[in-house]
Amino acid sequence: MAKYPRVSCTLLSGDEPIQMEGRASGLTLLDFWRWQGSRLLDNALRGLLAEFFVARSLGCADQPRLEWDSCDCRTETGARVEVKSAAYFQSWDQEKPAAITFGIKSRRAWEAATNTLSEAASRNADVYVFCLLSHRDKSTINPLDLDQWDFYVVATKRLDTEIPNQQTITLTSLLNRFAPQRLAYKDLKQAILAAADE
């Protein structure tokens, strides 16, 4: 038993008051969420949004996201899922659309359930989900529109077999080398479960 055990957490509503001097300050958690979470085109936040989409598709978004866990989410059968995201456009000024590249680097993983760090670096998932905000018109891009996203699913053992030491993969290389099906959101869960069974 840890001297200072992990703090348990449940999903919050946003209505929780921010307190000061023992009473509500007039601010709520939703005020903070709106302040820090409205730039959905920023890389880090877009990545979290992609993780949320995948977790919702798998039915495992009923608990808060666990920062730094060894994988982004797990299927109901325990298969580990890693989510990567990219987009042609971000919120800042751009001279041209971004080149699409996903990180696939092996790493030592911290396992939240056991509070342990793996001894060796590896790809710590059974399935990779590559989420591309593929909309090409910056004036109408909307990360909250699932129709503007493409999803690609690849079993990790295929990555490990064909490109074991590669740290990134471009969209072109992903499509040419692994030929994953371009998926709509509604087809994502089935594809993830099928890849986990490979």
Side-chain angles (χ1 to χ4, degrees):
M1 170 84 56
K3 183 174 180 181
Y4 301 103
R6 183 175 8 156
V7 175
S8 63
C9 186
T10 58
L11 290 178
L12 302 173
S13 69
D15 294 329
E16 293 80 5
I18 295 173
Q19 298 184 1
M20 183 174 63
E21 298 177 350
R23 60 183 183 273
S25 67
L27 297 173
T28 66
L29 181 58
L30 181 59
D31 294 317
F32 166 68
W33 284 348
R34 292 174 65 186
W35 172 79
Q36 69 86 32
S38 291
R39 290 186 176 272
L40 297 175
L41 281 178
D42 287 357
N43 287 337
L45 198 51
R46 187 198 63 244
L48 293 177
L49 184 62
E51 286 182 32
F52 170 72
F53 290 154
V54 173
R56 284 294 295 204
S57 77
L58 293 172
C60 60
D62 56 342
Q63 292 295 315
R65 177 180 179 273
L66 189 55
E67 187 79 18
W68 297 111
D69 200 6
S70 62
C71 64
D72 294 320
C73 53
R74 291 175 172 81
T75 68
E76 51 199 28
T77 60
R80 297 164 301 153
V81 179
E82 185 71 17
V83 179
K84 299 297 179 182
S85 87
Y88 293 105
F89 297 108
Q90 290 76 35
S91 59
W92 50 82
D93 292 334
Q94 293 175 250
E95 295 299 320
K96 60 184 179 180
I100 302 302
T101 302
F102 300 99
I104 54 170
K105 181 180 179 178
S106 295
R107 61 182 174 87
R108 292 181 66 198
W110 176 68
E111 189 66 46
T114 59
N115 196 30
T116 57
L117 187 64
S118 64
E119 291 187 21
S122 67
R123 294 182 177 127
N124 300 292
D126 302 299
V127 177
Y128 271 69
V129 180
F130 300 97
C131 307
L132 174 62
L133 182 56
S134 59
H135 194 70
R136 299 298 294 260
D137 180 353
K138 192 166 185 177
S139 68
T140 59
I141 197 165
N142 179 6
L144 297 177
D145 183 351
L146 283 164
D147 295 333
Q148 294 189 9
W149 289 80
D150 295 331
F151 301 91
Y152 301 93
V153 175
V154 177
T156 305
K157 64 182 171 184
R158 292 187 64 203
L159 298 173
D160 288 343
T161 299
E162 296 191 36
I163 49 173
N165 300 315
Q166 197 163 311
Q167 296 186 11
T168 62
I169 189 166
T170 65
L171 177 63
T172 301
S173 181
L174 176 72
L175 298 179
N176 291 339
R177 189 152 197 168
F178 297 97
Q181 182 180 0
R182 185 177 71 185
L183 301 164
Y185 179 75
K186 64 182 177 60
D187 302 315
L188 188 54
K189 179 178 181 178
Q190 182 178 349
I192 293 170
L193 296 178
D197 287 340
E198 278 187 33

